């Protein structure tokens, strides 16, 4: 894994989301009601809704276009046969680290 | 010959080192102990009971003079070490005296962090760290006001301690809820409630700007929003920083703290460090448990024995004076987690467990923490809980627990809780009537009048029947708001008012939500109800809004947005049109369309361009048209008396006045108005939420029209002779709608439920109620009648991606 510092946890509002542009496309960074962040594809498999614009509740995200709901742990859509890709992300001293390898970024070294 | 050990700082960590050392080998060292505080080692943790008066300082002394004498320690209290020469192996005391050492031990602890606000060096601005600080606070009494900055553990202990002395205390906290690092919103809400019950004022989300003084003494704290909080003492409890200045000057390796290895040795030979001043393997410490482990290791190292310091799991266990609160483990960070939530609003209990891979990893509890140590044990031991998962939340004593009663929220209401707002009927009146033989809805209506007017409290009355009569009452199936609650929208609205619930966590807790923080269905509704009922106390939560309202633009199917500036009453001018044209060119807007609402839509704007296009439009005086909101959309007008040969009144002017009065307000669903200058009705006023048709004798005000999924003509609210009355009726009607309708009911749906007569009685006939509605609307508009675009244009960052990893470093 190659962890890339992409910002501070407080750059994402509580129960909010931001996107990061990556070689595999836009990745949504979803913050729950806690100091907790998930990374997943920003594109809804239904009709491409931008998930980071949706509502975060518990550890789920609701798509802003037609309300499909995804579990951010697994990426599974609830009640639909679909899932979104999820990516390793971790927090260290308030910084958000995204796994560069998983989002197609060649390592800097 | 005995070696010389010099210890800098007589704190809780170095004190433990001395105990271990002198216990194991009393003669090993000739010990000199410096302390900047004019006293020896005391139990710093117990300063709060001293502050509140439960204990005296004498009772919390760890090592008294007799102890130091017996241990053969030379005490130099009230003396600071000012310099160290690690080559010559000497320390210099404040007096200038130079003392040689064989071994040196740092135990300098932490410094409280002082926010460098203007005025932070005024007399009367203190931290909360030592006995001196505690004594300053103890000098405060019922005639004094104190402000505490910081709603973490220390700040709240200081506040609770002073409140126990009758001091008027206000806590100013920058985050949205108290102790945000240890507690979630729900537990933070309950903590706040019990601290408020002790008379403490709590301001969350409050940003300090400046400390104001008078003759060099603190006078008040000024907040970012202009509020001035008068105070005689200001306590800053916002965090600590390892005290490393001396070590740094002496040339020790220092990061956040003094670097130590597993043996507590620093980078310089014969120099050790323990306590809050150290950094071990990247971590610094703020609680005593790990410091005691360090002390044991440091003593062993000094005695030439093998020992190594190991960091334990990050779990912490906390208590705030007088509050039944427990938080352990880790409920942040990491994937693959699940929550179990239990709430008992009647008893003020909240419990949340966080589970990962069949193990308990975190627990937050409020109100009933008896099982705290059991959960803490499960977390620490990493016990597999899959077998007991179903009943885990009920604790060790409880197996096969039954699910929470969905009626518990209503059962828990106090007898004086108002159930029927129209007729002012409280819970006990209804339960008395039921006990007196009114065993169905009709009978309750007949005897008490509850639910006999607008009917929106019917669900609550039925629940009371069920709670009181049990199986003897057959509850009609009502549609709950969503999966997070069994209450209907109407029930929730009623209870928010009667129970004075003023925050989302208050609603979740007091009404027994089964999820930690709601879902996409209930959150926008609850957010609206709260801001409509408590415009001053509650602030809109953008995270509880659909994307359009959060982004102040309509999202398109390709993820771009549309931008619709307001055109008051459909009137525009060359400057505005030029600004729109320029913006359309500058931001490559693919489609410019005239809308059905008499204005211009710029469709296909990229999300990150939004703040910039708004800023450009703002410059020409154009503001948000709220084409995206559950709020006022447009007021369509016709040309009226200005130009039209049939116009009877100034319909354009009235439309603009109405739009100016109503814009920016949030409503249960969108609201559209129109004003036509004569019954030819060119502005299509008779199918609007509110439509005014001008006639020779005045104004015909119609409401509850529709022209979307349903088409329906307006119903006449009243005919009035003056323009002012037409405006008053409109504002009062909209406010009544805001106060009573279910979220996402357009006015025509709501009026169909409560009946036009009920509306007329309040808006038209009861002049006092009309005036109240208008005043309530104005109060709310004092917050919301403003351009959200201008606000966001000033802070464009959140609209851009957090980072861009597409770009490769130069090859
Ligand atoms: C732009 C516009 C069409 C146009 O090009 O003229 C429009 C566009 C949309 N309408 Fe509309 N409506 C527009 C006038 C109307 C009108 C006519 C009017 O206002 O004079 C109606 C019928 C009257 C009414 O409001 O009932 C209308 C009835 C609706 C409805 C059905 C509402 C209902 O209660 O039945 C929806 C759906 C909703 O709101 O839930 C809707 C929803 C929408 C949305 C917001 C759909 C969405 O959620 O994305 C469209 C947004 C397009 C965009 O991205 O900007 N639009 N829509 C009109 C904007 C007017 C304005 O200046 O603000
Ligand atoms: C009000 C309060 C409540 C607390 N509650 C809890 C709790 O409930 N649970 C918990 O685990 N922890 C609690 N803590 C934290 C705990 O008290 C600290 O972690 C612990 O005291 C740190 O010990 P230490 O020896 O590293 O530093 P300290 O105890 O701070 O000792 C450092 C000493 O070094 C002296 N010193 C500094 N520089 C020099 C110098 N150059 N020369 C001479 N002397 C110097 C200082 O004057 C000080 O006396 C609380 C702290 C406070 C203030
Ligand atoms: S009529 Fe339908 S398609 Fe056309 S703008 Fe309105 S909502 Fe969109
Ligand atoms: S695009 Fe996400 S639900 Fe339709």
């Amino acid at each position: 894994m190659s962890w890339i510092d992409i910002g501070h946890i407080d750059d994402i509002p509580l129960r909010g989301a931001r996107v990061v542009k990556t070689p595999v496309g836009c990745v949504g960074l979803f913050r729950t009601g806690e100091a907790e962040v998930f990374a997943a594809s920003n594109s809804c498999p239904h009709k491409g809704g931008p998930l980071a614009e949706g509502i975060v509740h518990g550890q789920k995200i609701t798509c802003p276009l037609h309300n499909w709901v995804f579990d951010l742990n697994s990426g599974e859509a609830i009640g639909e046969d679909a899932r979104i890709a999820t990516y390793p992300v971790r927090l260290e001293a308030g910084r958000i680290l995204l796994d560069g390898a998983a989002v197609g970024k060649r390592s800097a070294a | 010959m005995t070696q010389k050990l010099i210890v800098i700082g007589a704190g809780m960590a170095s004190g433990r080192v001395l105990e271990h050392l002198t216990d194991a080998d009393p003669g090993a060292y000739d010990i000199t102990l410096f302390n900047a505080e004019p006293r020896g080692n005391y139990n710093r943790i117990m300063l709060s009971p001293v502050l509140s008066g439960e204990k005296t300082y004498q009772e919390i002394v760890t090592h008294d003079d007799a102890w130091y004498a017996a241990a053969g320690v030379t005490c130099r209290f009230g003396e600071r070490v000012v310099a160290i020469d690690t080559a010559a192996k000497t320390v210099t005391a404040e007096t200038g005296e130079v003392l040689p050492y064989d071994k040196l031990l740092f135990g300098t602890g932490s410094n409280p962090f002082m926010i460098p606000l203007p005025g932070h060096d005024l007399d009367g601005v203190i931290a909360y760290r030592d006995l001196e600080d505690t004594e300053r606070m103890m000098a405060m009494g019922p005639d004094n006001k104190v402000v505490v900055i910081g709603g973490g553990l220390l700040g709240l202990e200081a506040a609770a301690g002073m409140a126990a002395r009758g001091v008027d205390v206000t806590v100013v906290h920058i985050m949205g809820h108290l102790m945000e690092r240890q507690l979630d919103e729900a537990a933070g809400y309950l903590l706040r409630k019990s601290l408020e019950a002790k008379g403490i004022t709590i301001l969350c989300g409050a940003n300090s700007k400046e400390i104001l003084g008078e003759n060099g003494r603190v006078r008040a704290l000024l907040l970012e929003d202009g509020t001035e909080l008068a105070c005689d003492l200001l306590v800053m409890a916002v965090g600590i920083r390892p005290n490393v200045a001396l070590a740094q000057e002496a040339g020790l390796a220092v990061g956040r703290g003094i670097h130590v290895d597993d043996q507590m040795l620093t980078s310089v030979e014969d120099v050790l460090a323990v306590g809050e001043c150290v950094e071990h393997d990247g971590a610094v410490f703020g609680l005593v448990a790990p410091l005691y482990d360090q002390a044991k290791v440091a003593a062993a190292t000094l005695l030439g024995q093998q020992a190594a310091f190991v960091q334990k799991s990050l779990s912490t266990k906390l208590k705030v004076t007088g509050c039944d609160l427990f938080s352990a483990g880790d409920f942040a960070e990491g994937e693959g987690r699940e929550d179990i939530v239990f709430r008992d609003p009647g008893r003020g209990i909240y419990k949340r467990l966080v589970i990962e891979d069949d193990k308990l990893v975190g627990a937050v509890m409020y109100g009933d923490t008896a099982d705290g140590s059991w959960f803490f044990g499960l977390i620490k031991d990493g016990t597999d809980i899959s077998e007991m998962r179903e009943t885990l939340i009920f604790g060790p004593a409880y197996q096969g627990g039954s699910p929470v009663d969905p009626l518990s929220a209503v059962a828990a209401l106090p007898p004086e809780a108002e159930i029927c707002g129209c007729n002012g009927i409280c819970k006990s009146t209804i339960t008395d009537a039921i006990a007196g033989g009114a065993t169905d809805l009709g009978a309750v209506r007949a005897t008490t009048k509850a639910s006999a007017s607008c009917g929106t409290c019917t669900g609550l009355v039925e629940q009371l029947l069920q709670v009181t009569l049990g199986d003897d009452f057959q509850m009609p199936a009502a549609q709950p708001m969503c999966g997070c609650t069994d209450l209907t929208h109407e029930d929730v609205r009623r209870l928010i008012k009667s129970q004075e619930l003023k925050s989302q966590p208050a609603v979740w807790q007091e009404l027994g939500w089964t999820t930690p923080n709601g879902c996409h269905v209930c959150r926008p509704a609850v957010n609206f109800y709260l801001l409509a009922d408590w415009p001053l106390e509650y602030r809109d939560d953008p995270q509880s809004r659909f994307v359009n309202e959060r982004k102040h633009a309509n999202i398109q199917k390709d993820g771009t947005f549309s931008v619709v500036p307001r055109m008051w009453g459909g009137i525009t001018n060359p400057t505005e049109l030029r600004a729109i044209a320029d913006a359309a060119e500058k931001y490559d807007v693919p489609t410019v369309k005239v809308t059905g609402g008499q204005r211009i839509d710029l469709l296909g704007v990229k999300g990150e361009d939004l703040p910039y296009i708004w800023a450009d439009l703002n410059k020409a005086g154009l503001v948000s048209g709220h084409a995206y909101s559950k709020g006022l959309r447009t007021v369509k007008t016709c040309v009226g008396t200005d130009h039209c040969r049939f116009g009877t009144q100034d319909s354009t002017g009235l439309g603009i006045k109405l739009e100016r009065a109503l814009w920016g307000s949030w409503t249960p669903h969108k609201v559209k108005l129109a004003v036509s200058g004569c019954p030819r009705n060119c502005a299509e006023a008779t199918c609007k939420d509110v439509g005014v048709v001008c006639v020779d004798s005045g104004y015909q005000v119609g409401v509850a029209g529709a022209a979307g999924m349903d088409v329906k003509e307006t119903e006449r609210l009243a005919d009035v002779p003056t323009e002012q009355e037409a405006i008053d009726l409109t504002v009062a009607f909209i406010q009544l709608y805001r106060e009573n309708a279910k979220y996402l009911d357009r006015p025509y749906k709501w009026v169909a439920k409560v009946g036009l007569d009920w509306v007329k009685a309040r808006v038209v006939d009861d002049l006092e109620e009309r005036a109240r509605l208008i005043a309530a609307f104005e109060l709310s508009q004092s917050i919301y009648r403003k351009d959200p675009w201008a606000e966001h244009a000033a802070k464009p960052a959140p609209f851009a991606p957090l980072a861009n990893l597409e770009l490769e470093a130069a090859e």
Side-chain angles (χ1 to χ4, degrees):
Chain A
M1 296 205 177
S2 69
W3 297 107
I4 303 181
D5 184 329
I6 51 166
H8 192 270
I9 171 101
D10 292 337
D11 294 335
I12 311 179
L14 272 185
R15 295 182 264 95
R18 295 283 296 274
V19 297
V20 172
K21 293 189 172 176
T22 77
V24 298
C26 277
V27 169
L29 273 294
F30 303 88
R31 177 166 180 192
T32 66
E34 318 293 339
E36 174 182 50
V37 173
F38 293 94
S41 163
N42 191 45
S43 180
C44 178
H46 177 218
K47 292 195 174 171
L51 293 169
E53 311 285 6
I55 288 184
V56 179
H57 48 102
Q59 292 171 325
K60 301 190 189 81
I61 173 73
T62 298
C63 177
L65 292 197
H66 318 95
N67 290 335
W68 281 21
V69 179
F70 298 87
D71 184 333
L72 291 166
N73 294 296
S74 59
E76 299 288 340
I78 292 163
E80 308 284 346
D81 185 17
R83 68 181 297 277
I84 48 173
T86 58
Y87 302 101
V89 66
R90 62 192 182 98
L91 285 176
E92 209 164 83
R95 303 299 304 178
I96 307 167
L97 306 179
L98 182 66
D99 179 16
V103 296
K105 178 91 180 157
R106 269 180 293 153
S107 80
Chain B
M1 202 185 71
T2 339
Q3 297 210 73
K4 284 188 198 310
L5 168 67
I6 293 183
V7 182
I8 312 175
M12 298 189 69
S14 67
R16 255 315 151 90
V17 179
L18 295 182
E19 281 176 18
H20 289 305
L21 202 57
T22 54
D23 276 356
D25 186 353
Y29 285 97
D30 170 7
I31 305 168
T32 304
L33 175 61
F34 281 91
N35 200 22
E37 283 184 67
R39 61 186 69 83
N41 179 21
Y42 58 93
N43 188 347
R44 200 175 293 285
I45 294 179
M46 300 303 279
L47 282 174
S48 296
V50 172
L51 173 60
S52 63
E54 289 159 66
K55 280 203 172 3
T56 64
Y57 170 67
Q58 293 312 322
E59 290 175 86
I60 69 162
V61 169
T62 313
H63 296 148
D64 56 13
D65 293 348
W67 187 89
Y68 286 118
V73 175
T74 308
C75 300
R76 304 194 54 160
F77 297 154
E79 260 189 80
R80 184 180 290 276
V81 171
V82 294
I84 297 161
D85 183 337
T86 55
K89 296 180 74 171
T90 59
V91 304
T92 309
E94 229 167 344
T95 53
E97 192 183 338
V98 177
L99 289 85
Y101 67 78
D102 296 300
K103 300 276 179 192
L104 183 64
L105 175 66
F106 271 87
T108 48
S110 298
N111 289 324
F113 178 64
M114 303 299 274
I115 313 170
L117 294 173
H120 71 277
D121 43 8
L122 286 166
D123 185 20
V125 178
I126 63 168
Y128 185 20
R129 181 72 191 174
D130 57 24
L131 186 63
E132 277 70 27
D133 298 330
T134 311
E135 284 170 343
R136 291 289 291 271
M137 291 189 253
M138 288 164 72
M140 295 286 123
D143 298 335
N144 295 109
K145 284 188 173 25
V146 177
V147 169
V148 177
I149 302 184
L153 185 68
L154 269 194
L156 297 181
E157 293 255 283
M162 284 185 282
R165 299 182 166 268
V167 182
D168 177 348
V169 187
T170 302
V171 175
V172 173
H173 190 49
I174 191 163
M175 302 304 286
H177 68 271
L178 296 175
M179 289 181 65
E180 77 285 349
R181 286 199 295 165
Q182 294 88 11
L183 302 181
D184 58 10
E185 283 170 295
Y189 155 75
L190 284 167
L191 174 61
R192 174 179 182 144
K193 200 169 132 180
S194 63
L195 291 171
E196 284 174 340
K198 293 182 204 291
I200 300 172
T201 307
I202 294 178
L203 304 177
C204 283
N207 217 340
S208 305
K209 187 172 179 196
E210 187 177 347
I211 303 169
L212 307 175
E214 205 169 64
N215 305 326
R217 269 202 62 82
V218 64
R219 172 175 72 77
L221 176 69
L222 177 68
L223 302 181
E224 207 65 75
D225 68 4
T227 314
E228 235 185 80
L229 303 167
C231 60
D232 306 306
L233 188 71
L234 187 137
V235 183
M236 258 197 223
V238 294
I240 52 172
R241 297 279 182 278
N243 181 359
V244 298
L246 183 64
Q248 204 154 23
E249 282 163 29
L252 274 64
V254 167
R256 281 192 292 159
I258 304 172
H259 283 302
V260 292
D261 63 10
D262 294 349
Q263 280 67 49
M264 308 314 293
L265 290 162
T266 68
S267 63
V268 169
E269 221 181 326
D270 295 323
V271 182
L272 294 83
V274 288
E276 284 183 346
C277 61
V278 309
E279 175 180 337
H280 174 265
D281 200 11
V284 294
F285 308 85
L287 294 167
V288 291
L291 308 189
Y292 287 164
D293 291 343
Q294 295 175 359
K296 206 179 274 177
V297 174
T301 305
L302 283 168
L303 292 169
Q305 297 163 357
Q306 288 300 314
F309 172 60
V310 186
Q311 289 180 31
K312 300 246 173 71
S313 85
L314 286 170
S315 305
T316 55
K317 217 166 128 182
L318 295 160
K319 271 207 164 280
V320 176
T321 317
C323 298
D324 210 357
L325 159 73
F326 177 94
S327 150
D330 172 13
F331 41 96
E333 214 177 320
E335 290 179 32
R337 296 198 170 169
E338 264 180 87
D339 285 306
I340 301 179
V341 176
F342 171 88
R343 305 187 198 240
D344 183 338
R347 292 186 296 146
I349 291 173
Y350 170 74
K351 300 185 188 184
R352 172 165 164 238
L353 302 178
V354 184
I355 292 169
E356 181 175 19
D357 294 338
D358 289 332
K359 292 193 188 82
L360 188 61
V361 294
V364 198
M365 285 187 271
Y366 200 97
D368 170 11
T369 57
D371 300 329
S373 13
W374 186 66
F375 288 127
F376 189 54
L378 295 179
I379 295 174
K380 241 182 10 201
D381 303 342
T383 313
D384 185 321
I385 52 89
S386 48
E387 295 287 297
M388 45 184 168
R389 191 184 181 102
E390 296 300 306
T391 55
L392 188 64
I393 195 128
F394 300 104
Y398 205 97
Q399 293 302 312
S402 59
V404 199
D405 182 357
L407 296 171
S408 63
V410 172
L413 292 174
E416 66 280 6
E418 190 184 80
I419 301 294
C420 172
C422 296
N423 300 300
I425 309 298
C426 67
K427 177 178 167 182
S428 61
T429 311
I430 298 169
T431 46
D432 288 352
I434 298 170
T439 55
D440 61 32
L441 189 61
V444 172
R445 278 186 183 150
T447 35
T448 68
K449 290 240 174 338
S451 133
S453 293
C454 78
T456 52
C457 62
T458 305
L460 289 177
V461 174
E462 284 166 347
Q463 295 202 32
L464 282 175
L465 281 159
Q466 168 121 65
V467 168
T468 318
L469 300 174
D471 291 341
D472 291 343
F473 180 77
Q474 197 51 50
M475 223 8 208
Q479 193 62 41
M481 203 160 167
C482 64
C484 304
T485 175
D486 289 295
L487 298 168
T488 65
H489 280 268
E490 287 77 10
D491 298 343
V492 172
R493 277 221 90 162
R494 200 79 273 296
L495 293 170
I496 284 175
K497 287 197 214 349
S498 76
Q499 296 309 98
E500 305 201 356
L501 307 178
K502 299 185 181 178
S503 69
Q504 293 204 47
V507 171
W508 301 332
Q509 174 61 30
E510 302 300 341
L511 305 186
W513 246 239
T514 56
T515 47
N517 51 25
C519 70
H520 69 271
V521 179
C522 62
R523 278 241 304 277
V526 169
N527 181 54
F528 168 74
Y529 296 154
L530 287 166
L531 74 82
D533 286 335
W534 314 109
L536 300 187
E537 292 96 329
Y538 180 79
R539 283 298 141 91
D540 181 40
D541 172 27
Q543 278 359 103
S544 296
R545 292 200 165 275
F546 291 118
V547 51
N548 289 0
E549 297 184 324
R550 194 173 343 111
K551 282 277 162 94
H552 297 280
N554 285 306
I555 196 162
Q556 311 291 303
K557 59 182 187 178
D558 63 354
T560 62
F561 291 87
S562 71
V563 170
V564 188
R566 200 167 277 289
M567 283 180 180
W568 308 93
I571 294 289
T572 184
N573 59 45
T575 315
E576 289 183 352
L577 292 172
R578 206 168 282 125
I580 291 173
D582 288 345
E585 268 179 3
K586 180 165 165 192
Y587 298 98
D588 290 329
V589 173
T591 308
V592 181
K593 183 179 182 305
V594 174
T595 72
Q598 295 190 337
R599 49 202 187 161
I600 294 175
D601 194 350
L602 300 162
L603 295 127
V605 180
K606 286 187 264 321
E608 52 222 77
D609 284 342
L610 287 173
Y612 303 101
I613 193 169
W614 294 338
D616 286 3
L617 293 169
N618 278 165
K619 275 188 212 129
L622 289 157
V623 297
S624 168
H626 297 88
Y628 46 81
S629 80
K630 310 282 175 258
L632 178 80
R633 295 289 179 87
T634 59
V635 181
K636 252 168 114 160
T637 69
C638 69
V639 288
T641 43
D642 275 356
H643 302 279
C644 176
R645 63 199 165 109
F646 295 115
T648 60
Q649 312 280 354
D650 178 12
S651 54
T652 324
L654 174 56
I656 293 173
K657 281 182 193 152
L658 285 169
E659 192 161 354
R660 293 259 175 214
L662 298 170
W663 80 294
S665 61
W666 297 105
T667 43
H669 203 314
K670 59 192 177 190
V671 168
K672 297 175 176 179
L673 277 69
V675 185
S676 288
C678 81
R680 287 169 194 76
N681 194 15
C682 297
E684 299 162 320
T686 48
C687 63
K688 298 295 176 196
D689 298 299
V690 180
V692 180
V693 176
C694 303
V695 289
D696 278 327
S697 58
Y699 304 81
Q700 301 175 334
V701 181
V703 295
M709 290 179 280
D710 295 306
V711 180
K712 173 178 171 289
E713 193 182 341
T714 48
E715 299 171 57
R716 190 70 56 80
L717 186 65
D719 292 352
V720 289
T722 66
E723 189 182 75
Q724 189 55 47
E725 280 169 289
I727 296 174
D728 285 355
L729 286 184
T730 304
V731 169
F733 174 79
I734 302 277
Q735 178 63 13
L736 193 67
Y737 169 58
R738 284 165 39 90
E739 289 180 5
N740 291 283
K742 171 182 155 194
Y743 191 64
L744 299 186
D745 265 359
R746 287 290 284 268
Y748 76 96
K749 291 204 172 145
W750 165 67
V751 171
K753 285 182 187 165
V754 298
L756 186 65
D757 289 340
W758 183 86
V759 174
K760 275 187 182 164
R762 279 156 184 77
V763 173
V764 184
D765 305 336
D766 183 343
L767 295 181
E768 219 173 282
E769 174 66 356
R770 189 199 297 179
R772 185 199 67 76
L773 288 165
I774 294 171
F777 185 74
E778 269 311 307
L779 181 73
S780 169
Q781 285 294 74
S782 68
I783 310 279
Y784 291 108
R785 190 186 281 133
K786 61 172 186 214
D787 179 22
W789 286 358
E791 266 168 61
H792 289 286
K795 293 187 216 124
F799 288 82
L802 186 56
N804 188 344
L805 305 181
E806 280 172 336
L807 311 167
E808 284 291 337
E811 321 241 333

